[in-house]
Amino acid sequence: MTAPAPRDESRETRRAANARKRISRRPSRLGSQAGATPKPDREREPGAGFTGLLERAWARARQAGGPRAAVGVLLTLDGHVPAEVQLRALGTVEEAAFKALWGLTWRTGEPAADAAADGAADGDEDDEPVFTGELALARSGRVVVRAPSQPPLRQRDLVGGSLRVPWSGRAVRTYRRELAAANARRADEVAHCRDWLAEQGDAGRDELLDLATEAALRTAPFVLYQEEKQYTNFRDQNNITGKTLFPGHPDCALSSLRGLPLDLWSDHDVQLLVCLVLLIRSAGPGRVEEANGTQLGLDHVAAMLERVRRGYAAAPGGPAIPRAAAPDVAALDTLATTLGTVRKAFPGRVQLYREIHGALMHKIERVAAPPAARAHRYEQDICARLSERLPLAGGTFEALADAAAEAPQWLARPHGAFGSGLESLVYETVAASADVFRTDFAMSRGMRSLPTLVARLRAESWAEICGWDITRYFCCVVPAPEARRHFGDSATAMADAAWAMSSRMQYNSWHFIAGNLPRTEEVLARDHFVPPTIPDIAFFSDQHHHGHVTNKVRFSIRSPQAVEVAGRRFNGFVDLRLLRCDGTPFDEQDLLAAHRVSGLVGRVTGLAAELAAAGEPVEVTAFDAGWHRATIAGAPAAAQAAGAAGAAGRANGRS
């Protein structure tokens, strides 16, 4: 089934537009009045989301059999995040306590503390407790402890109380040594940061603040720590520019530093700016998310850059990248700049991707191994299916794309049940991926009218492109029939979930496109993120994002692709997404295979863009709410859609 041709919004009256917007596009209520139900059709299940996860993790920790066993549960949030992320979230005091009590540290190459022998923190008979501390889980997800000289933990900040932790004399002595060394190290790092910022001068520091502010504005939510101080553009109490605070807002920690003498900057703010700059220079704003949920100190950034350096150097054909010459800011800045340069040269030779650990929104950049047998088998299976259903033939995605390039005109003409070959290719590729990868949902997004985009690019109508709404974009969502079990065994509820996903992906296309345009005043004023350039694989994404929680987006792969349109490269213009609501997480081989699938979609979309530039009317009119209802729930959506169009038309006639 195909949808009607895109309306000419420039000729639509305001009354008609408002009438159209009041009509529900949800498949289960298509054509009816929007917002007319007394309560939401679906609500979160009890215990869903981050709060429920923390409560379950804390309950498991209490049952683990003592503080040492409880620590193992809490550091991973009961298997939902790598323990290193939580260890890197510890402040100076907590880090020293963990080393003294349990011999745990994120710092590689450091020996375990002598108090870490089994039982030392649970009451060593040979060394009686001299202090009783606490172990708890904060509502932010961080593990917290009470160490000597600290007050009791504030119960209102904790998930469910605390566990008592006995400190032996041996643990206290180790703690004193560790804390003294950590305080000295931190003082040196702050001094290095202040010296480097002083060398930049007033104008240079303002430029760095501009760089960090723009990065915070154009990247996904982050939560960073300087000791106990939290810096975030996420929910809670925002103190960094983002969705809540505009650039220059007096509550933004970065904006408040502008014009302020350096000697009045706090140690926290000094390290914040320096570390953000180092991260951004090493990979752009996206690198900031790799510090999510952790301490943002110079030592943490140095360790991250060193890990990245080793990964790049070990990649096939990777260059020899020297280590930072010294643990100071100037040397780390040189390393960060080098890594940023090397990273830009990788595409086509080395596949980078990110792991996303959704519970703490933490990301880790990885260098992928070569595709193995399973990835090749997936490709063969999808190619065989596409060769049967499309006017293409080939055993690899390159062969299919080459076949499309030899005679691309079919992409602009009707094919099968679709109004264009491009629509047909997108659908068949997504449907094949859903089957082969054994997903609950698969999807791919893009732009509906490539000819319109070409025309506006040629006219340099940047403001008009920025002004388009999400209906200018599409996302084809194909669920597996078995996915109904996650939605009350209702095909209609599953269609609603699919349409919610489709709408969100349309928003993502809208959100990214401006990041590919010239930095004019209109573009900079438009809300947008830096478009994605590498794929990612996510674990337990059903924690924070309301849509992910409601629609059970637990494990996923996102594979964005760049497309050239009228001579301009658009990063993240199309993508392929795979998701599972439960069961087995995706792995690296799944991601590598999926990235090659999206590469086919990207290349064929580029061919369609060339046709559009040559005057061919390449349009995508399918994949609207009616299409998702008809294909998923099997309902006759055409009558409903006609009713919606009629209501809008009557409103237009009355204007």
Side-chain angles (χ1 to χ4, degrees):
M1 174 182 177
T2 59
R7 61 186 173 278
D8 185 352
E9 294 179 355
S10 64
R11 298 182 180 179
E12 187 177 34
T13 68
R14 178 175 296 180
R15 180 178 293 180
N18 288 336
R20 172 173 50 80
K21 292 174 182 177
R22 287 193 293 269
I23 297 170
S24 177
R25 292 190 295 160
R26 183 188 295 267
S28 61
R29 299 200 303 271
L30 194 63
S32 63
Q33 187 76 10
T37 56
K39 65 177 184 178
D41 290 341
R42 288 188 295 119
E43 298 178 342
R44 285 190 182 189
E45 295 179 358
F50 191 53
T51 300
L53 170 63
L54 296 184
E55 291 172 350
R56 291 190 296 275
W58 177 247
R60 283 272 294 110
R62 289 185 65 89
Q63 300 165 3
R68 186 178 183 83
V71 164
V73 175
L74 296 177
L75 285 178
T76 65
L77 293 181
D78 197 21
H80 287 73
V81 295
E84 183 188 352
V85 179
Q86 290 281 51
L87 287 171
R88 289 180 54 207
L90 300 174
T92 301
V93 168
E94 294 164 327
E95 186 178 347
F98 266 68
K99 186 78 177 290
L101 289 168
W102 300 293
L104 296 172
T105 179
W106 61 270
R107 301 175 188 275
T108 58
E110 291 197 3
D114 59 3
D118 287 346
D122 296 330
D124 190 332
E125 294 181 359
D126 298 327
D127 197 349
E128 291 298 320
V130 297
F131 171 76
T132 300
E134 297 174 87
L135 171 69
L137 183 62
R139 295 186 184 280
S140 65
R142 295 176 68 207
V143 185
V144 293
V145 294
R146 178 191 175 194
S149 79
Q150 290 189 312
L153 299 176
R154 295 191 301 180
Q155 294 298 306
R156 68 175 180 271
D157 297 335
L158 308 179
V159 172
S162 61
L163 296 175
R164 296 295 180 182
V165 180
W167 286 61
S168 67
R170 186 189 319 165
V172 170
R173 291 191 295 274
T174 303
Y175 170 75
R176 290 179 64 190
R177 293 196 303 270
E178 291 292 332
L179 186 59
N183 283 333
R185 180 173 59 238
R186 179 173 173 77
D188 285 344
E189 291 170 353
V190 171
H192 283 308
C193 290
R194 285 193 181 277
D195 290 345
W196 188 76
L197 287 175
E199 292 172 2
Q200 309 307 307
D202 294 341
R205 287 193 296 276
D206 284 348
E207 290 179 5
L208 297 180
L209 288 168
D210 288 343
L211 175 70
T213 300
E214 176 72 5
L217 183 64
R218 305 303 182 194
T219 194
F222 58 78
V223 180
L224 311 170
Y225 297 98
Q226 269 291 325
E227 295 299 325
E228 296 308 309
K229 183 170 183 178
Q230 184 185 80
Y231 291 99
T232 181
N233 64 354
F234 195 39
R235 297 164 188 164
D236 297 331
Q237 182 62 46
N238 284 225
N239 56 3
I240 297 288
T241 290
K243 293 293 184 185
T244 302
L245 303 183
F246 57 81
H249 193 288
D251 292 346
C252 173
L254 296 170
S255 298
S256 66
L257 297 175
R258 200 172 180 83
L260 193 67
L262 181 59
D263 62 308
L264 295 181
W265 291 26
S266 72
D267 290 350
H268 295 322
D269 292 338
V270 165
Q271 286 215 87
L272 169 73
L273 180 59
V274 169
C275 291
L276 286 177
V277 169
L278 292 175
L279 294 175
I280 295 164
R281 286 180 174 173
S282 74
R287 185 77 85 195
V288 177
E289 297 172 81
E290 296 179 38
N292 241 341
T294 71
Q295 293 285 323
L296 192 68
L298 196 62
D299 51 350
H300 286 262
V301 171
M304 182 193 298
L305 295 180
E306 173 58 18
R307 175 181 58 77
V308 173
R309 184 197 69 82
R310 291 196 304 268
Y312 288 5
I321 307 173
R323 297 172 62 104
D328 59 27
V329 182
L332 291 174
D333 187 37
T334 299
L335 175 58
T337 303
T338 301
L339 293 175
T341 301
V342 170
R343 190 177 189 273
K344 291 177 181 177
F346 269 158
R349 297 192 299 111
V350 175
Q351 183 58 62
L352 300 177
Y353 71 96
R354 284 196 175 101
E355 285 181 1
I356 302 176
H357 298 279
L360 296 177
M361 302 183 296
H362 187 81
K363 299 188 178 183
I364 304 171
E365 186 180 82
R366 304 288 191 193
V367 179
R374 176 155 49 93
H376 292 308
R377 185 173 68 252
Y378 288 165
E379 179 166 349
Q380 292 169 1
D381 291 346
I382 293 175
C383 286
R385 177 162 166 169
L386 296 183
S387 295
E388 291 176 359
R389 304 191 178 195
L390 299 173
L392 303 174
T396 66
F397 294 132
E398 287 86 358
L400 290 177
D402 289 344
E406 290 178 3
Q409 285 73 21
W410 74 276
L411 293 170
R413 298 167 185 161
H415 182 265
F418 293 93
S420 70
L422 179 60
E423 291 178 0
S424 185
L425 181 135
V426 168
Y427 170 77
E428 295 295 352
T429 304
V430 171
S433 297
D435 289 344
V436 170
F437 287 96
R438 300 182 302 282
T439 69
D440 284 310
F441 292 86
M443 63 199 76
S444 184
R445 59 177 177 81
M447 176 160 277
R448 289 197 173 277
S449 178
L450 289 169
T452 302
L453 177 60
V454 168
R456 299 304 180 268
L457 290 174
R458 287 173 172 169
E460 299 186 353
S461 302
W462 317 125
E464 183 177 348
I465 296 172
C466 286
W468 290 343
D469 66 17
I470 66 171
T471 61
R472 295 282 185 162
Y473 309 91
F474 72 84
C475 181
C476 169
V477 181
V478 178
E482 310 84 60
R484 291 170 53 163
R485 72 187 189 280
H486 300 296
F487 303 94
D489 201 33
S490 167
T492 301
M494 185 169 69
D496 282 352
W499 176 245
M501 296 173 191
S502 177
S503 297
R504 175 65 193 192
M505 293 304 102
Q506 291 173 55
Y507 168 78
N508 283 0
S509 286
W510 174 91
H511 210 199
F512 294 144
I513 195 167
N516 292 294
L517 300 178
R519 293 171 60 81
T520 65
E521 183 177 345
E522 299 92 343
V523 172
L524 291 174
R526 156 75 137 72
D527 175 30
H528 68 271
F529 279 175
V530 175
T533 57
I534 63 174
D536 54 57
I537 184 169
F539 307 95
F540 301 106
S541 292
D542 54 343
Q543 301 300 318
H544 296 283
H545 190 293
H546 294 305
H548 287 194
V549 176
T550 302
N551 295 307
K552 310 178 192 227
V553 181
R554 176 161 295 181
F555 306 119
S556 66
I557 287 174
R558 175 182 68 163
S559 174
Q561 296 288 342
V563 175
E564 184 174 307
V565 183
R568 176 170 292 275
R569 178 184 173 90
F570 283 83
N571 286 327
F573 192 75
V574 301
D575 70 13
L576 176 76
R577 294 185 186 231
L578 310 175
L579 71 88
R580 291 173 181 156
C581 300
D582 62 7
T584 305
F586 295 105
D587 62 20
E588 184 177 282
Q589 288 299 309
D590 294 326
L591 178 138
L592 290 172
H595 198 50
R596 286 184 55 76
V597 178
S598 71
L600 171 65
V601 177
R603 186 173 170 194
V604 172
T605 301
L607 295 174
E610 292 175 5
L611 290 175
E616 290 279 358
V618 188
E619 306 282 349
V620 173
T621 57
F623 315 135
D624 64 350
W627 182 90
H628 283 90
R629 173 170 173 161
T631 58
I632 298 172
Q640 298 280 0
R650 287 190 295 275
N652 193 30
R654 290 193 300 269
S655 60

